[in-house]
Amino acid sequence: MENIPTRLTEWSEGSGCGCKIAPAILEQILSSSGSFTQTDPNLLVGNSGKDDAAVYQVSEDIAVINTVDFFTPIVDDPFDFGRIAAANALSDVYAMGGKPIFANAILSWPVEKLSPELAAKVMEGAKTICTAAGIELAGGHSIAAKDPIFGLSVNGIVHPHKIKTNNGAKAGDIIYLTKPLGVGVLATALKRQKISDKDYLNLLDTACRLNSIGEIIGNHEEVHAMTDVTGFGLLGHLIEMCEGSGLSAEIDLHKLPMIAGVQEYINQFIFPDNTYRNWNAYSAKTKGVVGMDLVKLCDPQTSGGLMLAVDPENKDWFEDSMEQQNQVIWEIGRFIERNEQLVEVMQ
């Protein structure tokens, strides 16, 4: 890991997607800000749900996807910060089954305390990810402020009939993940200067990896719902899927994929404070969680993987298709008919 004079994580209390507003407070803000009733029939996905991006139909065959995502530094290296922030923002387009077409940058920088050269490195990192996604970083907006913040507003396209939302799951659907969990734990280990070089590389490998498989999954009718796992942790985003679909879910704790090395930090009680924030928000809707298992379920992810609801009748065909795309997936549970608790964790 490269040594740099300035530790960007010193400028953030909750790094990456862990700095999201708490679920309960966000709910209060949204419920107090007036009606979100949609009157434009071309707005196919808007504020009425909790999806990853807005979708607007512009022709019979094309709908435009728009999303914005930004956060405070999750790592100290500015180039890596830019890469992670860009991959995270692009994920929202992929989570809708779409194809990104261009992006604009959002930059807040304390120019009197952090050098412009560091900000340039952030932009450079973002550009490398945009290039990997096959799009241009077309422009953006910047302000001078006390906190370093970076992200992207991303535009994409999708066929109106191929949009994947987080509320289309059906009872019996298999739940899959496309990335292992633990980014928040590793980011906290970094912030506390406890992380090993090997584990830092594991963090980068996961958080910088594009969820571009989502564009291909958009063509799979057997995938009934999709979202990405970010700041509310696996449990929070799974509960959003359950609530939107009118279902409950069973999760096999031992099938949850974890990034190599993460458990060692959990054993040392190294994990984000906002892990407890997430648990406090969702514990009443959950059963079967024992002790520190809540960390795996509630660790805030940044640029986490996609979570899918797949028709069980197409299980073998879907898994073969993912293997042909060199996409690793993990089966972690199933959606079931709605019952008293939204999520049951099977030990």
Side-chain angles (χ1 to χ4, degrees), residues 143-221:
I143 61 170
K146 67 175 184 177
D147 297 320
I149 295 171
F150 183 75
L152 300 180
S153 173
V154 187
N155 292 286
I157 54 174
V158 65
H159 192 286
H161 295 157
K162 296 182 179 180
I163 299 167
K164 299 299 181 185
T165 64
N166 66 2
N167 62 4
K170 300 179 181 180
D173 280 355
I174 302 169
I175 304 170
Y176 289 96
L177 280 181
T178 66
K179 283 186 184 182
L181 304 166
V183 168
V185 171
L186 294 181
T188 302
L190 169 66
K191 191 169 183 177
R192 298 183 189 177
Q193 302 186 64
K194 300 287 188 180
I195 198 169
S196 69
D197 288 347
K198 179 180 179 182
D199 291 336
Y200 181 70
L201 293 177
N202 288 338
L203 164 62
L204 293 182
D205 177 65
T206 301
C208 294
R209 196 184 316 154
L210 287 169
N211 281 325
S212 51
I213 191 66
E215 180 184 344
I216 295 171
I217 289 173
N219 296 314
H220 284 254
E221 294 183 359

Side-chain angles (χ1 to χ4, degrees), residues 68-82:
V68 59
D69 210 318
F70 54 87
F71 46 66
T72 54
I74 183 173
V75 292
D76 292 320
D77 185 280
F79 182 81
D80 291 340
F81 174 36

Side-chain angles (χ1 to χ4, degrees), residues 271-337:
F271 53 85
D273 292 339
N274 281 343
T275 302
Y276 285 122
R277 176 206 68 182
N278 287 342
W279 176 240
N280 290 336
Y282 301 118
S283 58
K285 302 176 181 179
T286 310
K287 69 176 181 178
V289 180
V290 178
M292 296 308 294
D293 291 341
L294 68 88
V295 178
K296 297 179 181 180
L297 295 160
C298 298
D299 179 37
Q301 303 302 289
T302 299
S303 190
L306 301 173
M307 183 158 48
L308 320 172
V310 178
D311 187 335
E313 293 185 2
N314 297 104
K315 171 182 169 67
D316 292 341
W317 187 84
F318 176 75
E319 292 181 353
D320 289 344
S321 298
M322 292 299 98
E323 184 176 357
Q324 291 172 15
Q325 296 292 332
N326 296 315
Q327 175 63 54
V328 179
I329 56 174
W330 289 268
E331 178 183 342
I332 64 168
R334 288 179 181 265
F335 286 100
I336 59 174
E337 295 291 349

